[in-house]
Amino acid sequence: MKISLGSRLLAACAATAVLAWLGLRSDATSQDTPQRSLRAEGSSPHRNLQTVESCPAVGETAKIISEGTVELQAAAAGSLCLLVLTDDVKNFLPVARSYDENDWDRYIQTGKVSLGAEMDCTGSLCSVTLPAPYKPSLQYKLVAFEHTMEEKDEIARFLEQATFGPTRDDIASVMALTGSNTVAKMASWIQQQQDSSLTSPSSHREFFRKHANAQFERSSKYGHVTHPCQADVIYRKFALSFKHKGKKLQISTIHNDTKALSIDGLILTVIDGPALITTSPLGFTDEAMADLSTIHTEELTDGSYEICYAPMPGVGAPMKLYHPVHHCSFAAFGSISGNPPIEFPGASLEPSRIVNLDQATDLVPMDEAYFDTLGLPAQILRSPTALTGDACESVKMTAGYVPAVFGSYQNEWWVHDPRWQFRDNTVDQPMADGGGEVLNHTKGMEFWHTSRCANVERNFLNEDSCYMTTDLNACSHHDHHHQLLEPGEYGRGVVVCGSPGEVANDISLGGLTALGAFDFVTQKSDETSSFQDLLDQRIMVWTSLAIWGKDQLRQRVAWALYQILVVNQVISRNSQTEDWVNYYDIFVRNAFGTYKDVLKEVAFSRMMGEMLSFHYGKSQGFQWVRKSEAGTKVLELADENFAREIMQLFSVGLYEMNVDGTRKRDTDGNYIQTYSNDDIMEFARAWTGFWSSKRRGNSVAQNGNRLDPMTVVPKWRDQFPKMGLNGKYIGDGYPLCADLPIHDFLKKGAKYILLGYTPQAELGIKDPNRWASEEGQERFAAAEDGSLYDILCQPTNETDPTSCSFPPTVVLTENIDCTGDECLVDHIRTVNVREKVYYEYVRPACVHEAFFPEPKKIKMRSWSTYKNKYMCADPRTDVASAACCLEQGQSIYAMQNDTYWGERFKYSTAIERCQEMKTIDDDVDMCTSSGDMFIRRGFMPYHAKQFYWFGDVACDLKVKIDSVGKIAVVHDIPGEDYGGGMQNLMTNDDTMIFFRAQWSDKAQAISLFNNCDSTEGCSTTTDGYCLCNVLATESAAFNSTPTREQVLSDLTIGAFDPDVYDHDYTQTSADNVTIYELNGALSEESIFEVTDDFGVIQRRKNIIATATIAGSTLSFRVPVQFMSIAEPTKRDALYETDAVLDHLLYHENTAPFIAMHFAQRFGISNPTPTYVRAISEAFRSGQYNFSDGSSTMSFGKGKYGDLSATVAAVLLSREARSPLLEKDPAHGSMKETIIKVISVMRSLEFTTRPEFPFPRFYKSMQHRLGQLVYEAPDIFSYFNPTSQPDGLIGRSGLVSPETRIHTTPTIMTLANGLMNMVKYGMDRCYGGLGLTRNYHGIGECVYRKMGHFENSSGYLNFTPADVEPSAMVDELATIMTAGRLSSANRQTIVDAVANETNATLSSIKIRQLILTTAEFHTTGSIEKTEGTRSLPEPEEEESSNSSGTSSSSYKAVVYVMLKGGADTYQFITPHTCPPQDNIRRQYDDVRGSLRMTNSERNLVINALNQPCSHFAVHENLPILEELYNHGDLSWFMNVGVLNRNVTKYNYDDLTRTQLFAHNHMQQEMQQVDPYDQMPRTGILGRAVKTLINKYSINSAAISINKPSYAVNGDVRDDDAPLPLVMSEDGGQSAFDRPPTETFDPTSYIDKLNGPNTISSSLYGETWSELLAKSIYENDKLTNDINAQSAEGSGAVTCGAESLNMVVKLMETRNTRGVDRDLFFVDFGAWDFHENQPTHMHDATLELNDALTCFVNYVKQKGLWNDVTLVVSSEFGRTLSGNSNSGTDHGWAGNSIVASGALYGGKMHGKYPSFLKEKNSELALDRGRMIPTMSFESMWAPVLEWLGMDSTDFN
């Protein structure tokens, strides 16, 4: 029987239909949960003190404290006092603490107990108000502890934080440092680590490049290979190399059994004897040949045979050939089994090119250690010096290839083994030729083999170290095709620049491809390594430096920074190692720099540009103009992806914070959001225009240049004002360009950059190429007898002014006088200093006003259309030239009067220039015609293309207003040009480029829009907006001296340094304000100077600029913008980008945001406000001072955001260092999974084998452990910093981010992997983590022996100092647990090895056992109690979260989340709609190019009570159409997270959910508890609890692959089971081992992880509980699934593995004893910010396959009527696309519910009737639809079907 969904639907947010069980309240103003109902943080509590309480003495009984206001005495010296909420049984929830006579402090993330205000401390007393406990059994108590540590353990604890794991040598070296105490020694160690002269930074890119010694046979775009006779050339003894993989080996008989082996026509060797293959899996080994009856050998006839795999290096090393019958088989040649030697018997067979290697005196054998393992003598020789001979002279590269050259050495044959060559091209030492020599060397070859110029474009990383080279081979980054210019006085005038970490490879390091020499992909795919090999290289680099890098603190800081600023594998072509390690080097390089440096490099990284889809992004204005000119006006706004995440994840976070990290609250007690979606839309426009730097050589740039910072394309950049946070425009505080002083290029602070041979500006206005390249063009030149010339030339010889040094950058330190033509110009762009030597003047940062007084019309003549373009301009700016006329008319010639071609100046100067021309004719005047004009320079015709000119024509500025008060700039220009001129389309009256305004009365502005035509001076435009006349004015802000606060808050227009002006200012000071006045009085020209809260000097002009609606009192503040609409430049785009970064960096949130993240990444999950404040203050001041009582050490350079100071504060603050806090159960953390692995390898002295010189993991550690560098699951990194796990930590209201990835699958992988690493080394057997050496299949694993590492690719080489068991335990306890290992656990381990007589095995067993303990996996103190922790046996029938037995029939719900925000409005689209509304047309208009085309609307379904009678299902989702038409599927339309009914005018005020953010919206859709009535519980978890407790129905909630909020139960229930997580791969055997291995660690695990005292570390207790749970769940579920498979359930090969695992678990329902299963699965990645059509096509095909397979699989099992499938996404997407052909985060979407048991074939909820923002109350900007149905309404019928009564949730 089917149940109707419609009969059980709940009206969205209806007051009479509340879903209390689901967490929804009808009253939005009702009381909040405890953490939301308290007063704003930072306010002082009411001091109505009742009593003074002191802590009991250590060892005394805990003291009970009553709720209410109490005064607490600080802890005594040497003790820790905790205020806890406890029941003395299970709960010991920390509330606050005092230690060592310090003030009381609380925990920032406390949830159950929120004090609401900081403790009010005076002297040694602190007052606090304690609310009533959340359950009766809990009491407040004070309890005291004491704790000390040995110095070695204290240092090990420090090194746990500061390195990737303490080693014996590290501990000893810190102990040996000079210091008055242990912490002082730590401070000294930090100083050494931060001083690069003492500890050299380990660059990941340098490491990769130095080892990039792979074999290559030909050059490529990136560079070339070694010549056979150059220095460092390599020769090999074996015939076949890795590069021959996949090639055809030709076997040809010369005579009898003599055969030639050749490839591509080149004979490599001649062998004596047959060529054979064998079918033996062991090849031609002694073991294989011992029983010839079991193998087959066959002689190969002459012919061509493919080389199957890369031949192993070395004579006789294994190799395989493809045989048409036997396929890939081991080969042998003559007497050699495997790779043949190079032999040429007889002079007639010798090659033509032979080098006599015997003449070389310094040949060096290479890779000896590797060949020793094969029992071979030297197989590779390197000649450190160049070789000579006729063969050397004859070698010429042809078509990119190096001709084969053979060598003769000691009567043996060798062959040149060409290797790749990188050259040094670092920032400090750029290549003198810019790569020109290599380019010339390969020039004329095939396109793919001609190298590119390697010269790096100038950027903010290298600009101060570029120089002009005299090398005549030099090529320029301006011209990568290397068109040589004639040399001049200073060579070719080429400026060369380098790149960080771009070092040469070091061939002397040796290594072979995949065996220590890194490979890479070229554009002709010359690589030999597999994709996985290439992918692993970046991880090998990271792991090597994490283990062996000497700069451990730098590497650890880099890891912390990377986890904040993640890029992952969503980037295409992700196998290019250099791209990844170069990105990571941002953090290595800047680990002790400033966070501004980090954030800027990340923002300009193409890797991040691709990750967050702003690379290649174009502005709305550019797209509007481009498509309007093409006749297709389409609204495409900027991609919002990076704008959102740089705020949420990289800088300011979601909620406003105090400096101590506590969140601010509004008057209602709600957290204050840092930004809104409107903020994101504005910021998004600032991240347009980014594009890759040019591709170049000497680096791997196969998919474009991902190495150098991105550049900005000015015409792609949004040119209009952008309002940032808190009503401040980006550009507020900057001076106006209109205020630039005359001759600004000669004033203090003027900056110049060296251009070299080209006069074309790099940053400023681009002139026509013809002007830049042709001789004879008039250009501005510095007067040789002037100061500017001297400063730019900087002669190296005082007596010779022409001996110029030409510095790369010059900044004037004072005003200088003009000379000659310098005095005639207002402004310059580039300046000629000597022949072919130019500098560019980089105008200082300034802003333009969007509305300005007395606008003037400017025109530009276009050669392409022979039409004028025109717009309004600010007459006070240098924006145009002058048009001077003898006559006025419609079509006339005008004249220019300029000093150099293309000179721009102010309007006042334009008038003067025309006046000067009266010497030619008295009638000359500025042109007043609006007609078509042709420009002459003097009497010489010259069409004025590409720059504007002034005429004496006024124009009007108007403002266009939308329905929510946003505005657009409109230029109203009188007259119409003859010949059809064209206004700048961005400022035409149909513009749609809206931005926010700061209105005097926003409500009045919206009212004006609604009553537009009745307002004087306003009218409704044809597109439905309101267009009004506007008047811009400026007036003095203050008539008397303002306060510092008034200057910063009321004055928004900045000012230049008063010293740059010719007029004299008088300077006075008053109350931290410096005043600069003219004529001794305040005026509009006055300047105020103050220092802001961040230590930055701010100069503000004493003016307020206002734009007033004509005929009205309504006004708005004049917005400012960096970009000139007339002539946008790269310079101004870069200035604007810097301003955006500063806007975010200098925000009150950024310091505590970074402080919180750093505290957590360095091992303290729940930092106190005091600790966060200390870190924040170090970040803000750039200084941290450490005192040991007798002396002070200073860290940092005093610059805001200094990370060296920040890190010192993190590591040296008392909260980080006090040993007492080991006894605080809330102090410390669960360690990161990957750090556990690396720490074992580092601390236990991991050693590699010669053939595997770098550590390499087996399979992805991200998939297996939940964490691996470069493979974070998404931009949110590996875990949420506010994640609260179930169990004790969650009940404490604390966070533990790392616990989130400690699931059953990852815990079992980690435990098995670490144990096996200790026993067998890096090996894949029995769940091992590493590659196996000579792996032949899983069958060989049974032969593994503990302590035998011959099969491993690396092993732990730790040897104990003392082999006595207790001594070994103590030593290992220090380096593996920082001495935390409890005395009880130490004794248990000693007892476990008491009978082991072999010291090596004893040590290995001890390590195994320590690796299971909470003390290893977490930080914090553990104390054991009697007994063992209960471990359920696998054969028990009851599930871990089921109860009893019942007769209820089986039912299952499968909740599938389409992760990332699926565009579900593309899943189902309007098809047939009434003409009066025509939703289909609206849909098509709004969606634009993203709309579903008519041909794609083939899957049509009917609909009732919807605005359309028929809808179309996406053509790639036929399963949805099929189920709907069959009555098994229902659509839920316009559904989403909803607190109450809202409109677009009030949603921001009334919605309490953090909208549009992935993590928050995903959490909300899984919890379905928008009012947090049951915090952190999930919809499925609560359902399970109700079904079990109320209905006695055995139920289980299971999440596939990873934890989910959906399955969380009631965390307030002490007995609530922890949610179950199952891997889609199934389980794995726990601690499996060979049958001969008798030591079983499981017999000790329950004791080592047994019951702890109630005051033990919360993290330690959580680990032990999770481990016990994981072992049980893993064994139980694995056994159940295996048993079911044994009964005949076949493997399913279609669909999604996660959904297939769901069905497998359903089949185990009887053995698990459950009647209800509730599964959660997240599926896919749907965040398509770019190229949505392609991504959507692929994703929907994948989804359809997964759902089709799942439905068929369930039906096959006869379960379709017992299963309900719910498919939804956290939010929908914008209906309108962005400029990257993608969509951005929306709100409402469409969901489905499918089942054989529910009546389907219906649509519930309502598809919106209006989709366009201006017509709809539900459509926010860009078609973000407000939901009309809540998720709760969708879930109600599903829950009732499960067996719950409506009273449970109504």
Side-chain angles (χ1 to χ4, degrees), residues 824-1036:
L824 304 179
V825 297
D826 287 358
H827 181 78
I828 65 172
R829 298 192 300 285
T830 60
V831 53
N832 185 206
V833 183
R834 301 288 299 177
E835 180 190 5
K836 294 187 183 298
V837 181
Y838 293 85
Y839 274 86
E840 177 180 357
Y841 166 58
V842 185
R843 192 211 67 205
C846 59
V847 293
H848 303 274
E849 291 178 314
F851 299 89
F852 38 84
E854 301 179 359
K856 292 294 182 181
K857 177 180 177 180
I858 58 175
K859 287 186 176 182
M860 175 191 290
R861 176 73 177 177
S862 172
W863 278 359
S864 60
T865 62
Y866 294 99
K867 295 178 182 177
N868 290 322
K869 294 185 178 180
Y870 51 85
M871 59 177 290
C872 297
D874 188 340
R876 304 168 297 176
T877 59
D878 299 307
V879 71
S881 184
C884 308
C885 292
L886 280 168
E887 56 181 325
Q888 308 294 341
Q890 282 298 314
S891 182
I892 58 174
Y893 280 97
M895 295 178 290
Q896 289 180 267
N897 180 17
D898 50 22
T899 308
Y900 61 93
W901 187 91
E903 182 186 2
R904 278 79 157 171
F905 30 71
K906 298 176 174 64
Y907 180 74
S908 58
T909 303
I911 295 175
E912 293 174 2
R913 294 295 177 89
C914 288
Q915 291 296 315
E916 291 172 2
M917 296 191 75
K918 287 184 178 293
T919 58
I920 301 172
D921 193 306
D922 285 341
D923 292 332
V924 173
D925 210 339
M926 186 175 286
C927 301
T928 59
S929 170
S930 61
D932 202 16
M933 296 187 184
F934 299 89
I935 306 298
R936 294 174 180 268
R937 291 192 77 244
F939 292 101
M940 184 177 179
Y942 203 107
H943 289 287
K945 177 180 178 286
Q946 291 190 347
F947 67 93
Y948 284 94
W949 37 265
F950 279 115
D952 190 12
V953 182
C955 62
D956 295 322
L957 298 179
K958 294 191 175 185
V959 62
K960 188 175 181 179
I961 308 169
D962 77 358
S963 62
V964 293
K966 291 184 180 180
I967 64 174
V969 178
V970 173
H971 292 179
D972 186 24
I973 302 174
E976 181 177 343
D977 278 358
Y978 176 81
M982 183 173 62
Q983 181 173 338
N984 186 317
L985 294 179
M986 296 188 199
T987 57
N988 211 346
D989 60 7
D990 65 349
T991 180
M992 294 292 289
I993 308 172
F994 289 97
F995 50 89
R996 287 185 294 176
Q998 197 173 72
W999 290 97
S1000 58
D1001 187 334
K1002 185 174 180 180
Q1004 187 181 349
I1006 295 174
S1007 175
L1008 186 152
F1009 171 85
N1010 293 325
N1011 302 279
C1012 184
D1013 291 327
S1014 61
T1015 304
E1016 183 182 352
C1018 299
S1019 60
T1020 302
T1021 60
T1022 56
D1023 53 359
Y1025 297 92
C1026 188
L1027 185 66
C1028 298
N1029 297 325
V1030 68
L1031 178 64
T1033 58
E1034 294 178 352
S1035 59

Side-chain angles (χ1 to χ4, degrees), residues 654-708:
L654 290 172
Y655 299 102
E656 291 188 11
M657 289 186 284
N658 298 299
V659 71
D660 62 4
T662 55
R663 290 180 180 176
K664 296 180 180 179
R665 300 177 187 269
D666 61 21
T667 54
D668 294 325
N670 299 318
Y671 294 137
I672 303 171
Q673 295 185 6
T674 311
Y675 57 86
S676 68
N677 207 62
D678 281 341
D679 293 320
I680 291 168
M681 290 184 66
E682 296 270 317
F683 277 113
R685 297 190 292 111
W687 297 109
T688 53
F690 286 87
W691 183 235
S692 306
S693 294
K694 292 178 181 177
R695 294 188 184 191
R696 58 183 182 82
N698 201 50
S699 62
V700 182
Q702 196 247 355
N703 195 40
N705 188 340
R706 288 171 167 166
L707 301 172
D708 304 323

